[in-house]
Every structure is written in structure tokens, then in C-alpha cells.
């Protein structure tokens, strides 16, 4: 066995924590983008006819879905995820901070950020307006 074959796993071990943090952050960002990409893809036909009443916007560190005057925005960086619900012109935000001890983003009430968090914010942002539109 060459020293190179010994060296590679040892260097991985030296940087195990940094690699774990990096992978966790990358996986979280990917999950956020995929959540919004799924909305965009499954509602593509709507966006083609909605005449600016519905949109999904996906950028490197920002995702948004808007329906009429309501919107859900998610901004993210290596240390923080910000979620903002906007109903008509008023809104509020929540922040999730990266915790290096648990390798996760933690928000209010020690809630761990995952896809269910995005789902609950989507519901909170749009459920009432969709219900009133469907009456």
C-alpha cells in the first residue's frame, strides 16, 4: 500500500467535522431548492396562465413563491435560514441558526429545520387565501 492510500483517509479524518458541517449545509440548501423546484415544476402550467398572479423564484441563496398578495420567502446562508411569510402587506419572519453541535439549523422553540418546516410555512402562508378563493 502506498503512503498516498494511507494519507487520503487520514486527511479526511482530520477534517471530519468540517466536512460534516459542509455536507449538512449543502444538503439543507439542496432540500430548500428542491422543495421550490418541485412547486415550480408541478405548477408550470399555472405559471404560464397566471399573468403575474403566481410565481416561483429560485436563486442561489433565495427562494420565493407568491400567489396574489401572499408570499413565502426563504433566504439562506452558511449560518442562518430566514423564512418570511407575507400576507397582503404585513408579514413576519423566523430565523434558524446553524448549530455546530447538532449539525442542524435550529429555530424558535428548538425546532430543527427540515422539509416539514417549509411545508408548515407554505400552509400558513397560503391556506386561508386559497380557501377563500375556492368558495
Amino acid at each position: 500500500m502506498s503512503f498516498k492510500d494511507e494519507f487520503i483517509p487520514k486527511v479526511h479524518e482530520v477534517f471530519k467535522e468540517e466536512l460534516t458541517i459542509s455536507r449538512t449545509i449543502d444538503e439543507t440548501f439542496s432540500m430548500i431548492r428542491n422543495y421550490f423546484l418541485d412547486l415550480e415544476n408541478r405548477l408550470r402550467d399555472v405559471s404560464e396562465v397566471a399573468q403575474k398572479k403566481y410565481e416561483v423564484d429560485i436563486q442561489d441563496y433565495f427562494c420565493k413563491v407568491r400567489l396574489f398578495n401572499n408570499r413565502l420567502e426563504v433566504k439562506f446562508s452558511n449560518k442562518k435560514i430566514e423564512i418570511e411569510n407575507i400576507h397582503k402587506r404585513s408579514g413576519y419572519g423566523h430565523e434558524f441558526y446553524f448549530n455546530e453541535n447538532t449539525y442542524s439549523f435550529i429555530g424558535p422553540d428548538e425546532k430543527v429545520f427540515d422539509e416539514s418546516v417549509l411545508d408548515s410555512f407554505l400552509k400558513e402562508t397560503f391556506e386561508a387565501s386559497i380557501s377563500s378563493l375556492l368558495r
Side-chain angles (χ1 to χ4, degrees):
M1 177 186 279
S2 72
F3 181 72
K4 178 178 85 172
D5 292 333
E6 293 176 35
F7 178 76
I8 292 170
K10 288 179 181 178
V11 172
H12 273 104
E13 187 64 31
V14 168
F15 293 100
K16 181 179 179 179
E17 183 172 345
E18 291 86 349
L19 287 167
T20 302
I21 289 170
S22 177
R23 287 182 187 130
T24 301
I25 290 170
D26 289 347
E27 288 169 4
T28 301
F29 291 177
S30 179
M31 182 267 300
I32 293 169
R33 282 190 206 94
N34 287 338
Y35 187 88
F36 282 87
L37 280 169
D38 188 47
L39 287 172
E40 181 180 60
N41 291 333
R42 293 172 65 185
L43 293 167
R44 188 171 307 282
D45 56 341
V46 171
S47 65
E48 292 171 1
V49 299
Q51 301 175 359
K52 301 193 186 257
K53 296 173 189 162
Y54 167 80
E55 74 171 317
V56 175
D57 184 11
I58 302 165
Q59 298 176 21
D60 287 342
Y61 297 99
F62 172 81
C63 295
K64 171 179 80 174
V65 61
R66 182 181 59 79
L67 178 64
F68 295 100
N69 292 323
N70 299 325
R71 70 181 186 268
L72 173 64
E73 296 180 353
V74 180
K75 299 172 192 165
F76 40 99
S77 70
N78 289 352
K79 299 294 179 192
K80 179 169 64 170
I81 298 172
E82 298 175 71
I83 301 176
E84 189 171 13
N85 302 53
I86 299 163
H87 303 275
K88 300 195 172 89
R89 289 191 176 94
S90 64
Y92 62 93
H94 291 282
E95 296 178 341
F96 292 77
Y97 292 92
F98 190 74
N99 182 318
E100 292 186 7
N101 296 322
T102 62
Y103 303 112
S104 58
F105 286 88
I106 307 293
D109 302 323
E110 299 300 308
K111 176 72 175 160
V112 175
F113 185 86
D114 61 13
E115 190 169 331
S116 70
V117 170
L118 286 174
D119 222 39
S120 68
F121 278 103
L122 185 72
K123 180 179 181 178
E124 187 176 316
T125 305
F126 297 107
E127 184 177 43
S129 64
I130 287 177
S131 294
S132 69
L133 289 168
L134 294 175
R135 286 186 195 150

